Amino acid sequence: MIRPTPPRLTAIAAILTTLLLGSTACGGAEATDAAKLAADAELPDQVPEGTVLRLGIPPVEVALKESGLIDEVEGYEIEWANISGGPKSIEAFRAGALDASYVADIPPLFATWTDTPVRIAAVTENPDPLENPIYELGIAPESKVKTLEDLKGKKIAYSPGQAQGALVLKTLDSVGLTQDDVELVEIQSVDDTYANALASNQVDVAPLGGPQLTSYLAKYGRDGATSVRTGIRDDAMLFYGPEETFEDAAKAAAFKDFLGLWVKAEKWIDEHPDEWVQAYYVDHEGLTFEDGKAVYETSGQRIIPEGWDEFIERHQETADILVEEQGQPDIDVEELYDRRYETVIADAVKEEQ
């Protein structure tokens, strides 16, 4: 495996109106006039002058700026949006306001199922996914949940279109429970919604990850809040964007260059962990240095796989679960991946070794 260390992400809200204004000013005419790139065409190397990438990838923004690598962006401009996560990124894609974002493996499926065609252009994993899960089940202060078997009869926060929702379904299945054995409360996991629902005992259980889990336990642990690990692999993270991004020859070329800078940024993070923790987890996410370091050393550790075959296979298994449990249409996830970038990323990693 290739093992640079990328950042962990957290979904942070952005004002979509600002994105729309930026789209109108910088993206509309450009997208209309750009040459359309076939899905099987070679990725161009030259980026036309005036090309703009609108990216909702906050961790990479922080890494590029803190490392100084942002100065290597040449021939195009990056407009950063403080937005990631499924619901907000899909909303922005539909509004024509964002070119790519960083999410888990569920949003691309739901984007496709809700008539928003997308493509996946990069993937990352955790080097020890079961020991270092992204999510744990946050337990409300007044809940009596101690083990996974205790989930029976409990109210569980559930977002069908997010990774947390798929994790809930997998966790129930792992202990022989079904949706009928619990009360699934549909709530989107955006910002602190799950933590607030737990703290107020509106639900008994909700998946929480990274800084959100750390912050929740720090605030409410004295009141009885705890967490339980699922034992389910949940480490899939990826870059994706609307189909139009990768059909636009100018943006496709700019994104190719951006991925090379991303790989350099991952190496910088690996070599400067304390600087990264301070810049991202403390200054950007608001954690203490100690809590940020703990998140980084567990769920914050990432790897870039040499190839995508196994990643895609696991993604298909997850999609099949949602097809069965939610009645979604059958989907071939291989069709979502733009594998031209698989080689681009692998070559960039080799150059940094």
Side-chain angles (χ1 to χ4, degrees):
M1 303 295 282
I2 303 172
R3 295 179 177 258
T5 306
R8 175 58 45 221
L9 64 113
T10 357
I12 303 174
I15 301 174
L16 189 55
T17 303
T18 302
L19 293 178
L20 287 170
L21 289 173
S23 173
T24 302
C26 303
E30 174 194 344
T32 301
D33 297 339
K36 188 170 183 178
L37 187 69
D40 59 351
E42 185 176 350
L43 292 171
D45 293 319
Q46 299 300 315
V47 183
E49 183 178 353
T51 301
V52 177
L53 281 181
R54 301 158 302 168
L55 304 178
I57 314 176
V60 180
E61 176 186 6
V62 172
L64 290 177
K65 290 179 177 179
E66 188 68 19
S67 66
L69 289 165
I70 193 67
D71 295 335
E72 295 187 19
V73 175
E74 295 183 358
Y76 61 99
E77 179 184 350
I78 298 178
E79 291 183 354
W80 298 102
N82 195 23
I83 178 173
S84 57
K88 290 183 179 296
S89 62
I90 293 173
E91 181 183 6
F93 294 163
R94 289 171 179 162
L98 198 66
D99 293 319
S101 193
Y102 188 34
V103 295
D105 56 353
I106 302 304
L109 303 177
F110 271 80
T112 304
W113 283 326
T114 55
D115 299 320
T116 304
V118 295
R119 291 292 179 268
I120 297 165
V123 306
T124 69
E125 304 171 327
N126 189 283
D128 193 350
L130 296 182
E131 181 62 29
N132 300 315
I134 293 176
Y135 298 105
E136 296 185 21
L137 297 182
I139 309 301
E142 295 180 6
S143 177
K144 304 300 181 183
V145 174
K146 303 295 183 184
T147 68
L148 297 180
E149 287 74 12
D150 296 333
L151 294 176
K152 187 173 183 179
K154 297 299 188 292
K155 293 182 179 180
I156 303 176
Y158 176 68
S159 179
Q162 294 180 273
Q164 295 92 323
L167 179 63
V168 166
L169 297 178
K170 292 178 181 180
T171 301
L172 293 175
D173 182 70
S174 72
V175 290
L177 299 176
T178 70
Q179 298 182 52
D180 294 333
D181 295 316
V182 299
E183 182 178 346
L184 297 180
V185 181
E186 286 203 20
I187 307 173
Q188 279 193 356
S189 178
V190 178
D191 303 325
D192 296 328
T193 53
Y194 274 14
N196 292 337
L198 287 169
S200 59
N201 294 288
Q202 296 178 40
V203 296
D204 297 298
V205 178
L208 294 176
Q212 292 166 333
L213 175 63
T214 301
S215 178
Y216 171 70
L217 295 177
K219 289 181 180 179
Y220 303 106
R222 67 174 68 92
D223 300 323
T226 59
S227 68
V228 175
R229 289 195 170 189
T230 67
I232 303 295
R233 183 168 186 173
D234 65 355
D235 61 317
M237 301 298 298
L238 52 86
F239 291 170
Y240 82 138
E243 194 172 57
E244 290 83 358
T245 296
F246 308 105
E247 291 178 341
D248 183 320
K251 289 184 183 291
F255 201 76
K256 177 181 178 180
D257 183 80
F258 164 76
L259 288 176
L261 293 179
W262 167 61
V263 170
K264 291 182 179 181
E266 306 309 308
K267 182 178 181 181
W268 178 87
I269 292 170
D270 193 31
E271 295 175 346
H272 302 83
D274 288 349
E275 292 177 50
W276 167 245
V277 169
Q278 180 65 42
Y280 183 67
Y281 290 107
V282 179
D283 297 341
H284 193 275
E285 296 297 299
L287 296 182
T288 66
F289 185 86
E290 291 73 18
D291 287 344
K293 190 69 174 287
V295 173
Y296 169 74
E297 290 179 346
T298 55
S299 59
Q301 300 285 329
R302 308 298 295 172
I303 63 173
I304 299 176
E306 294 181 16
W308 294 358
D309 287 347
E310 292 182 6
F311 190 100
I312 292 173
E313 182 179 350
R314 291 194 300 272
H315 200 176
Q316 185 66 61
E317 291 171 356
T318 298
D320 291 343
I321 290 172
L322 298 183
V323 168
E324 179 178 355
E325 295 290 333
Q326 297 178 351
Q328 301 291 352
D330 288 335
I331 186 171
D332 182 357
V333 301
E334 172 78 40
E335 296 179 358
L336 303 182
Y337 286 79
D338 190 332
R339 300 194 73 159
R340 294 174 297 180
Y341 290 103
E342 180 179 20
T343 301
V344 169
I345 294 168
D347 290 345
V349 171
K350 290 176 183 177
E351 289 180 7
E352 295 303 311
Q353 290 178 336

